[in-house]
């Protein structure tokens, strides 16, 4: 099971996501000005310079003349820029009127970016004539709402009740299909990937979740191109301003549940993008991540003191520590062998627990070197190793040999092909792995036939 991180997704920015899409999907995406502008912003400075110089040229530009734009064509920044542009098909090499090689921008991208930069075309949100929202929302309210909704999703992952009405079946199934939770009846448990997901910053969590959502949107009746274009539009929206929903009702409902947009009720024609939606495209780079002050103190006697009243933080600590005392803004826990074994059964590793303790360590703890005492670190790894004392592997038993000679022949052949798992010469017992069983069986039959047995 893959460990979740912004690097392990292989997609650190929107440029890399578009790169992996089919060509026909890319062609449709480039008809949306917001997509073109977002993709342009994700390019390196050198690549942006190439695009701007080619944007208003009607004919292919000679490739030989292109080299005069840079000091050194073999410079890394130049090579990276050309690689970027080719990877998402923003430019291609064609023949000019004189017969030499030239470069030209993707026609859809060229038209879309020109519209985005110079204006013109239809409104990104359509020409909807609606009355202004009578109850506008403040930026402070939207920030609070976005945080609350996202924490509801995380609490759903940590707590075990799958019947919670805080998360829709579509979102719950997405978590299940992404391998972040396991379900058993009406109960579910967080997996190793799910716990690693919780260790990420909020922007990176949203980035990873939305990538999984986009991968599955076709299965819930949504068009990938339409959803992507709408996300790009949100990234250029204004925080605190209401926008008409138009034909994006189902998608807006899903974004509403995870706090990317606010809608007063599902029949309301208006929605408000939250900071999570506006900052989404820069989330993969961690630039928008805000460092949350730590709240955990871990002592050498395995006591854990959590200075928090946040239900999500308390639930996370309870995944690997027993709660001894709880006050309004403070809990006392104890890391025990039983509590750690329970976490290990759910797929949470000792390293993940230690990473959590370090990333949420109280400022006073950060003064320690190392942050977590070696006594605690070593014991967690020892408890984890207890589960690895025995390993199982399927095998096939060969027995009831009529003579020592027969056993010796088969035993030597199995050893030569490297498939012996265990043997007992005195009792004429031999165990071979399943991979080598077929070869040993054929050899044994041929041997008996040759010797008339």
């Amino acid at each position: 099971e893959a460990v979740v991180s912004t690097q392990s997704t292989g997609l650190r920015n929107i440029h890399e996501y578009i790169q992996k899409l089919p060509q026909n999907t890319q062609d449709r995406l480039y008809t949306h000005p917001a997509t073109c502008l977002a993709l342009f912003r994700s390019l390196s400075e050198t690549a942006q310079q190439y695009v701007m110089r080619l944007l208003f040229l009607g004919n292919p530009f000679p490739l030989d003349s292109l080299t005069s734009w840079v000091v050194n064509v073999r410079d890394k920044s130049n090579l990276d820029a050309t690689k970027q542009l080719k990877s998402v098909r923003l430019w291609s090499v064609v023949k000019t009127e004189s017969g030499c090689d030239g470069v030209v921008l993707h026609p859809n991208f060229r038209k879309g970016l020109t519209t985005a930069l110079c204006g013109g075309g239809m409104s990104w949100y359509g020409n909807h004539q609606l009355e202004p929202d009578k109850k506008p929302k403040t930026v402070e309210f939207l920030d609070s709402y976005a945080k609350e909704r996202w924490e509801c999703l995380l609490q759903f992952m940590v707590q075990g009740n799958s019947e919670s009405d805080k998360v829709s079946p579509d979102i719950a199934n997405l978590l299940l299909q992404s391998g972040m939770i396991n379900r058993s009846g009406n109960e579910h448990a967080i997996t190793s990937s799910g716990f690693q997901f919780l260790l990420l910053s909020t922007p990176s969590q949203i980035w990873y979740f939305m990538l999984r959502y986009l991968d599955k949107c076709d299965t819930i009746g949504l068009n990938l191109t339409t959803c992507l274009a709408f996300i790009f539009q949100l990234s250029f929206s204004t925080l605190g301003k209401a926008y008409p929903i138009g034909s994006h009702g189902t998608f807006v409902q899903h974004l509403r549940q995870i706090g990317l947009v606010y809608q007063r009720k599902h029949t309301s024609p208006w929605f408000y993008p939250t900071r999570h939606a506006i900052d989404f495209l820069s989330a993969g780079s961690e630039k928008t991540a805000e460092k949350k002050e730590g709240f955990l103190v871990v002592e050498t006697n395995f006591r854990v003191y959590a200075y928090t009243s946040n239900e999500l933080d308390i639930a996370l600590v309870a995944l690997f520590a027993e709660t001894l005392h709880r006050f309004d803004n403070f809990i006392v826990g104890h890391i025990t062998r039983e509590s750690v074994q329970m976490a290990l059964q759910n797929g949470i590793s000792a390293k993940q627990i230690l990473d959590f303790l370090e990333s949420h360590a109280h400022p006073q703890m950060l003064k320690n070197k190392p942050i977590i005492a070696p006594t605690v670190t070593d014991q967690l790894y020892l408890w984890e190793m207890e589960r690895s004392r025995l390993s199982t592997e399927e095998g096939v038993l060969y027995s009831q040999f009529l003579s020592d000679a027969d056993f010796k022949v088969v035993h030597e052949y199995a050893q030569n092909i490297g498939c012996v798992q265990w043997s007992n010469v005195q009792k004429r017992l031999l165990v071979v792995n399943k991979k080598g069983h077929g070869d040993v069986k054929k050899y044994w039959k041929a041997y008996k036939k040759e010797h008339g047995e």
Side-chain angles (χ1 to χ4, degrees):
E1 191 173 78
V3 176
V4 175
S5 69
T6 53
Q7 284 71 33
S8 68
T9 62
L11 305 167
R12 292 168 294 178
N13 53 52
I14 201 62
H15 174 274
E16 294 183 6
Y17 181 80
I18 293 178
Q19 180 179 334
K20 81 177 187 67
L21 296 176
Q23 290 189 7
N24 60 340
T25 303
Q26 292 177 352
D27 292 339
R28 292 195 301 271
L29 268 178
Y30 296 159
T31 62
H32 298 273
T35 302
C36 299
L37 184 57
L39 182 55
F40 174 76
R41 289 186 172 185
S42 74
L43 298 174
S44 66
E45 291 184 6
T46 304
Q48 289 180 357
Q49 287 291 329
Y50 276 127
V51 170
M52 290 305 298
R53 293 192 179 199
L54 295 171
L55 186 61
F56 299 101
L57 298 180
N59 298 318
F61 189 80
L63 196 59
D64 292 339
S65 301
L66 202 70
T67 58
S68 64
W69 291 355
V70 292
V71 176
N72 182 4
V73 293
R74 297 191 178 277
D75 183 73
K76 185 178 184 302
S77 63
N78 181 62
L79 295 175
D80 289 343
T82 55
K83 182 179 178 181
Q84 265 192 326
L85 295 170
K86 291 177 182 177
S87 65
V88 286
R89 300 171 53 242
L90 292 190
W91 79 2
S92 56
V93 178
V94 297
K95 291 295 183 181
T96 64
E97 292 180 354
S98 61
C100 64
D101 289 337
V103 292
V104 62
L105 292 179
H106 190 291
N108 292 356
F109 176 81
R110 179 172 172 268
K111 181 179 179 181
L113 184 60
T114 302
T115 302
L117 295 177
C118 301
M122 292 182 59
S123 169
W124 291 357
Y125 291 97
N127 297 318
H128 298 280
Q129 299 298 326
L130 297 174
E131 295 182 2
D133 191 0
K134 296 179 180 179
K135 298 180 179 179
K137 299 301 178 183
T138 64
V139 172
E140 292 74 17
F141 172 85
L142 294 174
D143 286 343
S144 176
Y145 171 82
K147 180 181 179 181
E148 176 190 348
R149 291 308 308 165
W150 188 251
E151 288 193 352
C152 281
L153 175 71
L154 302 183
Q155 286 178 12
F156 173 82
M157 292 176 59
V158 176
Q159 297 166 350
N161 186 5
S162 292
E163 294 183 334
S164 173
D165 58 355
K166 295 181 179 179
V167 175
S168 72
D170 285 338
I171 300 299
N173 287 334
L174 178 61
L175 293 172
L176 186 66
Q177 294 170 9
S178 300
M180 289 190 278
I181 60 173
N182 286 327
R183 179 177 292 170
S184 177
N186 292 329
E187 302 294 322
H188 66 260
I190 192 169
T191 64
S192 177
S193 290
F195 192 81
Q196 188 69 26
F197 172 80
L198 295 176
L199 295 179
L200 300 175
S201 65
T202 298
S204 293
Q205 288 174 349
I206 295 172
W207 172 259
Y208 181 84
F209 181 86
M210 287 305 299
L211 290 184
R212 302 284 76 76
Y213 180 93
L214 293 171
D215 287 341
K216 303 290 183 182
C217 68
D218 288 335
T219 64
I220 56 179
L222 296 176
N223 181 272
L224 174 61
T225 305
T226 304
C227 291
L228 273 172
F230 187 70
I231 289 175
F232 294 134
Q233 292 173 19
L234 292 179
S235 69
F236 296 110
S237 57
T238 302
L239 188 62
K241 181 180 178 180
Y243 295 88
I245 292 176
S247 60
H248 301 288
T250 302
F251 190 38
V252 167
Q253 290 304 314
H254 289 162
L255 297 181
R256 175 192 185 195
Q257 292 176 36
I258 59 176
L260 267 65
V261 302
Y262 169 79
Q263 186 185 19
R264 187 163 56 249
K265 52 185 179 180
H266 71 278
T267 57
S268 176
W270 298 100
F271 75 91
Y272 291 82
T274 67
R275 200 179 302 274
H276 287 172
I278 296 173
D279 293 342
F280 169 71
L281 295 185
S282 58
S285 64
E286 296 278 350
K287 291 180 180 179
T288 59
E290 293 184 4
K291 181 65 175 178
K292 180 181 177 181
E293 186 174 276
F295 59 90
L296 290 176
V297 174
V298 184
E299 295 185 335
T300 54
N301 59 1
F302 299 93
R303 286 286 181 96
V304 179
Y305 301 94
Y307 294 85
T308 180
S309 58
N310 185 285
E311 291 295 331
L312 175 61
D313 292 336
I314 294 171
L316 285 170
V317 174
L319 288 174
F320 56 85
E322 296 179 2
T323 302
L324 301 180
H325 309 287
R326 179 169 179 175
F327 304 95
D328 289 341
N329 59 350
F330 174 70
I331 67 166
V332 180
H334 189 208
I335 300 176
T336 65
R337 179 178 178 274
E338 290 73 20
S339 65
V340 172
Q341 290 290 348
M342 184 65 68
L344 294 172
Q345 288 178 15
N346 289 330
I348 301 172
S349 67
K351 184 180 185 306
Q352 288 176 323
I353 295 174
L354 291 167
D355 287 344
F356 177 83
L357 294 174
E358 286 193 8
S359 62
H360 294 82
H362 191 278
Q364 290 295 327
M365 285 284 294
L366 297 177
K367 299 178 181 179
N368 300 335
K369 300 296 180 183
I371 298 174
I372 306 298
T375 307
V376 176
T377 301
D378 293 344
Q379 187 60 67
L380 285 177
Y381 282 122
L382 287 172
W383 282 333
E384 184 178 47
M385 290 171 61
E386 288 181 4
R387 295 171 53 84
S388 306
R389 289 178 179 175
L390 297 176
S391 61
T392 60
E393 184 180 356
E394 293 187 30
V396 179
L397 173 65
Y398 285 77
S399 61
Q400 299 180 353
F401 291 96
L402 298 179
S403 66
D404 290 339
D406 289 347
F407 174 81
K408 183 178 180 181
V409 167
V410 176
H411 187 237
E412 287 181 352
Y413 176 77
Q415 281 184 322
N416 289 336
I417 64 175
C419 66
V420 176
Q421 289 181 321
W422 176 84
S423 64
N424 188 316
V425 178
Q426 288 75 22
K427 296 183 179 181
R428 299 176 188 169
L429 298 176
L430 173 65
V431 177
V432 300
N433 58 36
K434 293 198 71 175
K435 184 178 180 181
H437 168 57
D439 292 335
V440 174
K441 184 178 180 181
K442 289 179 183 178
Y443 176 81
W444 176 230
K445 284 185 176 181
Y447 176 84
K448 289 194 294 183
K449 185 178 180 179
E450 181 181 345
H451 292 79
E453 296 184 12

